[in-house]
Amino acid sequence: MALRHVFVDMDGVLVDFVTAALDLHGRSDVLADWPLGERDIPKMLGLSAGEFWSPIHSAGDRYWADLAPYDWTFKLVDLVREFAPFTILTSPSLDPGCPAGKVQWMNRHLTSGRRKRFR
């Protein structure tokens, strides 16, 4: 059975949200001992949700636009594209700059000058 469409998540699949968030909080040290499958970053940092998101929201769209792609991001997209059309899924945070920053990231990394990396 051929795939008709593939959905690829952005945060945690194409971009390294966790490392950037930990760096912003000055807590990159916790990544080495991160429990497998743990997704509650504020809990792991001993922060409330508001304390966790505040510096991210203060950084505005630049935070999202400047997230680092994983080493495998472009290979993954190339592979997915071999099998079917794809859509990137993402959920914005409550910050108005988040959607704009995510679109900037996609434009920078998945179109124009980067297009040659894709088939």
Side-chain angles (χ1 to χ4, degrees):
M1 178 174 164
L3 294 174
R4 291 189 299 163
H5 203 92
V6 176
F7 296 95
V8 181
D9 195 5
M10 187 172 174
D11 299 316
V13 177
L14 299 179
V15 300
D16 189 356
F17 170 81
V18 173
T19 299
L22 295 176
D23 287 346
L24 190 60
H25 284 279
R27 293 297 310 275
S28 57
D29 60 299
V30 301
L31 198 52
D33 296 319
W34 200 269
L36 186 62
E38 180 59 62
R39 297 172 49 118
D40 191 341
I41 302 170
K43 179 183 91 174
M44 293 298 297
L45 298 179
L47 300 173
S48 69
E51 291 169 324
F52 172 74
W53 286 104
S54 181
I56 294 171
H57 292 168
S58 292
D61 63 333
R62 296 298 344 139
Y63 173 84
W64 302 98
D66 294 340
L67 287 173
Y70 286 112
D71 293 340
W72 62 77
T73 295
F74 303 110
K75 290 178 185 176
L76 175 63
V77 173
D78 282 342
L79 181 64
V80 167
R81 190 168 267 177
E82 285 181 29
F83 290 95
F86 69 97
T87 299
I88 295 174
L89 302 177
T90 189
S91 295
S93 72
L94 298 177
D95 177 51
C98 178
K102 288 183 176 208
V103 168
Q104 290 170 39
W105 187 94
M106 286 185 275
N107 284 335
R108 181 182 307 142
H109 294 285
L110 302 179
T111 62
S112 64
R114 300 288 183 174
R115 183 167 284 157
K116 64 182 178 272
R117 296 185 123 153
F118 301 105
R119 300 181 206 287

